[in-house]
Amino acid sequence: MSAVTYHFTVPGDDYSRAGEASSQVKNRLKRLGLPAGEIRRVSIALYEGEINMVIHGGGGEITVTVSPERVEMELTDHGKGIPDIALAMQEGYSTASPMARSLGFGAGMGLPNMKKYTDEMAIDSTVGVGTTVRMAVHLAPAS
């Protein structure tokens, strides 16, 4: 398999469409024949990131690149940014709005779950400019 890249636009504050990109990626990874465990990890991490983009980032762009070695995900928004990344990485910490919480979001597990289910994760954020999260899930060599 040669590398394949997918692009998605995530609308901001549209909770009814939150999760569409991660669902599409999951289906595409299945069609590519990736192992179920890696598909699950990618799907969870990407869903959490996508939800964060809707809740906190006003939407944004997702790029997913699948190669024989790894699945790379880059999520970029132009939201308010993360002032304290270390604090945001703590389980249970959340700045979600009351509306997001009323819809069942905002438990403060998004970033921790993204880290838990990926092999690599980096966050670049500038307050007032936005956030880019890069994640990767390594794929076992085909036997």
Side-chain angles (χ1 to χ4, degrees):
M1 161 182 65
S2 60
V4 179
T5 301
Y6 306 110
H7 298 281
F8 303 92
T9 299
V10 177
D13 298 325
D14 187 350
Y15 293 93
S16 68
R17 293 186 54 201
E20 284 182 1
S22 53
S23 179
Q24 288 182 40
V25 168
K26 179 179 180 179
N27 290 331
R28 291 174 185 185
L29 296 179
K30 284 180 182 179
R31 284 196 302 272
L32 290 173
L34 270 62
E38 279 82 355
I39 292 172
R40 179 178 177 272
R41 293 174 59 214
V42 167
S43 298
I44 292 170
L46 193 56
Y47 176 80
E48 294 283 11
E50 186 176 358
I51 293 300
N52 278 353
M53 293 173 81
V54 172
I55 294 172
H56 305 288
E61 301 293 323
I62 295 175
T63 301
V64 177
T65 302
V66 184
S67 70
E69 299 82 26
R70 58 199 279 134
V71 178
E72 297 177 359
M73 299 159 273
E74 182 174 285
L75 298 78
T76 301
D77 70 47
H78 300 289
K80 59 187 175 190
I82 303 171
D84 187 337
I85 293 172
L87 180 60
M89 290 298 298
Q90 292 180 14
E91 290 185 10
Y93 177 80
S94 179
T95 60
S97 69
M99 180 185 161
R101 289 176 188 268
S102 74
L103 295 172
F105 301 108
M109 293 304 295
L111 289 173
N113 278 338
M114 292 162 69
K115 180 145 182 76
K116 176 181 177 180
Y117 288 101
T118 59
D119 296 304
E120 300 172 30
M121 182 173 149
I123 302 172
D124 294 315
S125 190
T126 303
V127 174
V129 177
T131 302
T132 297
V133 178
R134 291 176 188 85
M135 301 179 285
V137 170
H138 300 166
L139 302 174
S143 20

